[in-house]
């Protein structure tokens, strides 16, 4: 999958979690906390859904600040 | 007053239940009543009630051998595990005071707790042990038990049983001292929900044991009703196992309800296992949209209201579809009144006081035993309670955690370019989030554009966010042109409206 495809898929997941959020300006630099409003509970949902969608398992201590870092992580797996 | 709850159970089940005032007596009762039923499981190993009580007895012997005396404090730093709950119940049934330390607390803070509360023994999970080897008390592994059992101690229902943390209004979290009677009243009241409740539920403890709702409603009430309790050492992995565990009842906070509903939307109702009939949610406001959404899946989401100082939910609503904005009727064993709009409670469930803070205790508890909740409320003519506002200075997060704004504001005042700031709940994309208003120290920005001033404070928020627990992070930033409304003492007024 290309980084763009991964980002597109992640945006779909975020849309399910936060249907009211405008995702049109989301870039790889967007902050998960400030721009996407991902708190620790919605991070749990995001990571469960991402693991399911991409068939991977995040390492227990992995931390992400931007959506680009999630894309990189998935691309490396 | 109690009939609303008593009438929820089939008559034969109501007759079987007995209100028990102390933890040692409770352990004896559940062993006798539910002995051969499965009690606790981590999905790999499952113990029956008899086995669980025997293991608790062996842990009691271990604690006694460590030389503890009645009233000594035993802290537990663990995940939501079988070791944690058994050690906690062993401590309480041996006459010690149990303190469940939040799992995510940094090690320095754990050691600080041991110092502050005069802890005699700290039981920790093996992977945490090296971090607290130099704690100011005896440190043992939470998995340890003796090869013999020790009998339970005799305790009075008014003896202190446990200390729980709650967000303070002036910075440091407060220690809420709950006596045996409060824990057991909370556990007993938790048995009442519509329909048959005894001897068949499968419940997963998705809330932390350090939260009174996780310990009392999700755990002690589970044991009271002869349910099978699943630990959740890793929240994400446990949620992933829900299709296998097939829970029948879950105790959640609204934030977790949202997550489970999100998963159902993505992967279908089978993600919850297909047997879930009821969710009880409290500790923060339950949005009516969630009640409707779960109802469409055939799952009742029942809302309640409570606080740490009241040991569990003090009210519960089984009529959520007719009255979705109510937190329900008052549970048995309590009196309630509204004083100048504020909800006051009195009863078995009320705490003894805040540890080492007589001033805060006097502010929250009247001499004749009324707990002033700091919440505003009203009753309708059928006795249903509605929360209408809050006078205490706390932010209640959707995970049920209470945070004081001062705690989040504190690091911002280290920035010399900031004159004042105010943290409060704000709305963002239809959600309640933590927001901050910042008043710049304008001379620091001479020659800079307003955009640059805003960018500076947005960066500051990003930096400070990285140091805050995930749930405390600031999501909305407003940089102010105008000064805040101020109090007579020229402090920033908490009420800017």
């Amino acid at each position: 999958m290309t980084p763009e495809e991964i980002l597109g898929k992640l945006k779909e997941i975020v849309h399910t979690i936060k249907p009211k959020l405008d995702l049109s300006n989301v870039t790889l630099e967007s902050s998960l906390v400030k721009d996407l409003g991902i708190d620790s509970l919605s991070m749990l949902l995001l990571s469960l859904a991402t693991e399911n969608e991409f068939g991977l398992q995040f390492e227990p201590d992995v931390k992400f600040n931007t959506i680009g870092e999630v894309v990189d992580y998935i691309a490396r797996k | 007053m109690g009939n609303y709850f008593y009438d929820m159970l089939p008559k034969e089940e109501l007759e079987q239940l007995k209100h028990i005032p102390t933890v040692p007596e409770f352990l004896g009762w559940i062993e006798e009543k539910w002995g051969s039923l499965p009690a606790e499981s981590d999905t790999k190993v499952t113990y029956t009630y008899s086995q669980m009580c025997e293991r608790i007895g062996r842990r009691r012997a271990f604690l006694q051998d460590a030389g503890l005396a009645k009233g000594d404090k035993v802290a537990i730093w663990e995940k939501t595990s079988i070791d944690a709950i058994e050690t906690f119940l062993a401590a309480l049934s041996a006459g010690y005071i149990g303190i469940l330390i939040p799992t995510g607390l940094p090690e320095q803070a754990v050691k600080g707790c041991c110092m502050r509360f005069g802890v005699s023994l700290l039981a920790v999970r093996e992977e945490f042990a090296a971090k607290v080897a130099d704690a100011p008390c005896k440190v043992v592994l939470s998995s340890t038990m003796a090869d013999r059992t020790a009998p339970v101690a005799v305790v009075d229902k008014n003896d202190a049983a446990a200390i729980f943390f709650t967000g303070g209004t002036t910075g440091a979290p407060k220690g809420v001292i709950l006596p045996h009677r409060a824990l057991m009243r909370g556990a007993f009241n938790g048995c009442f929900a519509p329909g048959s409740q005894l001897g068949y539920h499968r419940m997963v403890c998705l809330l932390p044991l350090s939260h009174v709702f996780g310990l009392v409603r999700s755990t002690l009430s589970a044991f009271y009703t002869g349910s099978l309790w699943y630990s959740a050492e890793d929240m994400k992995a446990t949620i992933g196992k829900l299709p296998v565990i097939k829970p029948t009842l879950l105790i959640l906070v609204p934030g977790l309800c949202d997550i489970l509903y999100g998963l159902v939307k993505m992967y279908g109702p089978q993600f919850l296992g297909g047997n879930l009939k009821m969710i009880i949610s409290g500790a923060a406001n339950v949005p009516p949209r969630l009640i409707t959404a779960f109802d469409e899946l055939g799952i009742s989401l029942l809302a309640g209201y409570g606080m740490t100082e009241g040991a569990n939910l003090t009210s519960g609503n089984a009529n959520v579809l007719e009255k979705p904005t109510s937190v329900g009727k008052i549970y048995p064993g309590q009196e309630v009144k509204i004083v100048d709009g504020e909800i006051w409670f009195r009863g078995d469930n009320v705490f003894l006081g805040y540890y080492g803070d007589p001033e805060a205790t006097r502010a929250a508890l009247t001499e004749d035993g009324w707990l002033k909740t700091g919440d505003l409320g009203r009753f309708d003519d059928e006795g249903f309670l509605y929360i209408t506002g809050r006078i205490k200075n706390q932010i209640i997060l959707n995970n049920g955690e209470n945070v004081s704004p001062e705690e989040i504001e504190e690091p911002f005042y280290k920035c010399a370019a900031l004159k004042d700031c105010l943290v409060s709940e704000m709305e963002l994309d239809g959600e309640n989030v933590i927001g901050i208003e910042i008043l710049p120290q304008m001379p620091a920005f001479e020659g800079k554009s307003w955009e640059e001033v805003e960018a500076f404070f947005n960066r500051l928020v990003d930096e400070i966010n990285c140091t805050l627990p995930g749930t405390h992070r600031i999501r909305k930033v407003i940089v102010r042109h105008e000064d805040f409304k101020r109090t007579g003492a020229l402090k920033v007024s908490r009420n800017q409206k």
Side-chain angles (χ1 to χ4, degrees), chain B residues 108-129:
Chain B
Q108 280 309 332
V110 174
K111 288 183 260 187
C113 277
C114 294
M115 185 75 89
R116 180 176 160 206
F117 294 110
V119 166
S120 301
L121 182 140
L122 171 66
V124 298
R125 192 176 176 84
E126 196 169 358
E127 65 195 80
F128 300 162

Side-chain angles (χ1 to χ4, degrees), chain A residues 1 3-16 46 49-50 53-54 67 74:
Chain A
M1 266 178 133
E4 289 71 31
E5 286 169 333
I6 297 173
L7 179 64
K9 198 91 204 151
L10 285 174
K11 278 162 81 170
E12 278 175 36
I13 296 173
V14 174
H15 178 68
T16 318
L46 179 67
T50 309
E53 287 297 326
F54 294 93
I67 197 156
I74 295 169

Side-chain angles (χ1 to χ4, degrees), chain B residues 15-84:
Chain B
E15 285 167 0
Q16 289 181 58
L17 276 180
K18 183 182 160 200
H19 174 229
I20 299 160
T22 68
V23 170
E25 293 167 276
F26 173 66
L27 291 178
W29 188 81
I30 57 171
E31 183 174 12
E32 194 185 316
K33 175 94 187 143
W34 307 119
S36 60
L37 290 184
E40 51 177 5
S41 176
D42 61 6
T43 71
K44 292 183 212 88
V45 188
T46 302
Y47 298 108
T48 65
Y49 278 84
S50 299
Q51 289 169 322
M52 177 175 80
C53 291
E54 197 252 351
R55 288 167 58 88
I56 293 171
R58 287 171 55 199
R59 291 173 186 276
R60 214 162 32 233
F62 171 73
L63 292 175
Q64 285 175 352
D65 291 347
L68 301 179
K70 194 175 178 211
D72 277 352
K73 295 178 195 86
V74 173
I76 299 156
W77 191 30
E78 249 287 356
K79 295 186 174 177
T80 304
S81 67
I82 287 177
D83 281 337

Side-chain angles (χ1 to χ4, degrees), chain B residues 146-182:
Chain B
D147 48 16
R148 59 178 178 86
T149 63
V152 296
V154 176
V155 300
D156 185 83
K157 65 179 185 170
N158 289 309
D159 286 346
I163 298 175
F164 284 85
F165 299 100
T166 191
T169 50
T170 50
K174 287 185 281 191
V176 175
I177 310 169
L178 291 172
H180 283 266
R181 60 165 162 75

Side-chain angles (χ1 to χ4, degrees), chain A residues 16-17 19-20 41 45, chain B residues 252-265 272 276 278-282 284-303 320-321 324-325 398-399 430-431:
Chain A
T16 318
I17 300 171
K20 286 186 186 160
L41 282 175
L45 177 54
Chain B
L252 303 175
V253 289
L256 271 171
C257 294
D258 249 331
I259 288 192
L260 293 193
Y261 189 68
L263 289 165
V264 168
K265 268 199 297 186
L272 302 180
L276 186 63
M278 190 162 49
I279 295 172
I280 294 176
S281 183
N285 184 29
V286 180
R289 66 172 165 85
L290 275 174
I291 294 172
T292 318
F294 275 104
D295 185 60
E296 283 164 8
L297 299 172
I299 298 168
S300 308
L301 169 57
L302 308 184
V320 280
L321 294 177
T325 56
N398 70 352
N399 69 352
E431 282 181 79

